[in-house]
Amino acid sequence: MDKILMENNCINISFALFLINLMIYWVNIAFKRSKILYNLGTIITISINLLISISLILRWTYNGYFPLSNLYESLIFLTWGLSFLQLILERQNKSPFIGAITTPIGLFTIGFASISLPENMRQAAPLVPALRSNWLMMHVSIMMISYATLILGSLLSILFLVLFKIRNTIQANMTSNYATQQLSRITLLQSIDNLSYRIIGLGFPLLTIGIIAGAVWANEAWGSYWSWDPKETWALITWLVFAAYLHSRLNKAWQGEKPAILASVGFIVVWICYLGVNFLGQGLHSYGWFL
């Protein structure tokens, strides 16, 4: 079978499995906490990760370079990173919420890559001189893994805010002291908040390393460590948002809702940095599409 056809089949099957997994995780949370459904979701996630790994390896072999040279390849790699992190976190925490919030993002990224992008943006092309460097794999892969990590951590903060508001609303309408005391037990909220903090704490140094690697590569390719390219500017904004979040958590200046709001803002900023800037058609990092 042709390698390109095999790669496309792997991506299409992964998309279908994401749809199935989305229903499994949400049904498991909404109606029944079933260990069978949870294990089935994990098996499907492993299958998705393996299929995406195969597609990336196939693309690597027939193109001759690590597949991170265009938007399509970076979206596929981001999807791989999200599914890989999901497997690690589920193994450590056994929480159905992780898969329930990660799966929709993975479905969006792989669907956007395989359905929404024009055909010419999905096809590999010879690398431009600036990309013919070992820094391509190091810089872009670290940045994509940091994006995946920060997106997941921010999603958990958004989930924390939703559950926090629901709990407060229910408490305001309760008359039973016993029921109020039961609802005040914030073990679930604390665990989600702490998990979000730990994940963002992992993603932030990866983002820092990725930015530094990019600066070194930029100096090698363009003769300047920093040129205030739109992508560089938004990467700095992303770094500052999450630095402020971690600072507030470390010195305990903010607790609970406020840092979660800041992390939720970080979720939007990451997507602007990754996708929004690229589509403006401006700057050294632009893929160009909308304008």
Side-chain angles (χ1 to χ4, degrees):
M1 185 183 293
D2 184 74
K3 288 184 178 180
I4 297 178
L5 180 60
M6 288 178 62
E7 178 204 339
N8 291 334
N9 287 339
C10 287
I11 297 300
N12 292 335
I13 294 171
S14 298
F15 180 79
L17 290 177
F18 264 119
L19 281 173
I20 296 171
N21 230 12
L22 181 66
M23 292 184 286
I24 289 173
Y25 277 112
W26 283 12
V27 166
N28 197 27
I29 287 179
F31 301 106
K32 184 180 180 182
R33 298 292 181 87
S34 168
K35 188 174 182 181
I36 295 176
L37 286 177
Y38 179 82
N39 291 336
L40 179 60
T42 301
I43 292 171
I44 292 176
T45 304
I46 293 172
S47 302
I48 290 170
N49 190 264
L50 289 175
L51 286 168
I52 295 176
S53 298
I54 292 170
S55 72
L56 290 171
I57 292 171
L58 287 171
R59 199 173 180 92
W60 191 354
T61 55
Y62 69 73
N63 289 329
Y65 56 83
F66 194 72
L68 281 173
S69 65
N70 59 29
L71 181 58
Y72 173 80
E73 293 170 350
S74 70
L75 282 165
I76 298 301
F77 188 83
L78 178 63
T79 309
W80 177 87
L82 287 167
S83 62
F84 183 73
L85 286 170
Q86 177 186 334
L87 290 170
I88 294 175
L89 293 172
E90 282 186 336
R91 181 180 177 84
Q92 293 179 344
N93 297 275
K94 307 295 183 183
S95 172
F97 287 106
I98 296 172
I101 64 173
T102 307
T103 302
I105 300 297
L107 181 63
F108 164 74
T109 53
I110 198 170
F112 184 69
S114 58
I115 298 173
S116 298
L117 289 182
E119 179 65 27
N120 65 309
M121 293 189 71
R122 297 200 297 269
Q123 294 176 350
L127 291 178
V128 297
L131 296 180
R132 295 170 190 166
S133 169
N134 293 329
W135 288 105
L136 172 65
M137 181 187 295
M138 179 179 178
H139 167 61
V140 184
S141 62
I142 292 176
M143 289 299 294
M144 297 312 303
I145 293 172
S146 73
Y147 287 160
T149 310
L150 294 173
I151 286 170
L152 184 52
S154 301
L155 278 172
L156 286 168
S157 288
I158 294 172
L159 176 63
F160 170 84
L161 288 174
V162 171
L163 296 179
F164 185 81
K165 293 294 185 183
I166 291 173
R167 191 201 67 173
N168 288 348
T169 301
I170 293 175
Q171 283 185 346
N173 297 326
M174 293 296 294
T175 57
S176 167
N177 289 333
Y178 173 76
T180 302
Q181 290 172 359
Q182 290 297 103
L183 287 167
S184 296
R185 297 174 60 187
I186 56 172
T187 304
L188 176 60
L189 286 174
Q190 282 182 336
S191 64
I192 292 173
D193 190 35
N194 290 334
L195 182 59
S196 173
Y197 173 48
R198 296 204 310 270
I199 294 173
I200 292 174
L202 172 64
F204 181 75
L206 290 174
L207 178 65
T208 304
I209 294 170
I211 291 174
I212 294 172
V216 175
W217 186 15
N219 184 63
E220 179 183 295
W222 301 316
S224 174
Y225 288 101
W226 197 269
S227 58
W228 294 105
D229 178 81
K231 188 80 164 184
E232 295 171 351
T233 303
W234 277 97
L236 178 61
I237 293 171
T238 304
W239 189 90
L240 290 173
V241 168
F242 286 106
Y245 168 84
L246 291 173
H247 177 72
S248 67
R249 292 297 301 259
L250 287 171
N251 67 12
K252 299 183 179 179
W254 287 352
Q255 294 291 332
E257 189 176 14
K258 289 183 179 180
I261 292 173
L262 190 56
S264 301
V265 172
F267 176 78
I268 299 171
V269 171
V270 168
W271 282 110
I272 293 174
C273 178
Y274 174 48
L275 285 181
V277 174
N278 293 335
F279 294 145
L280 294 177
Q282 300 174 356
L284 297 169
H285 294 80
S286 175
Y287 297 109
W289 184 19
F290 292 141
L291 295 177

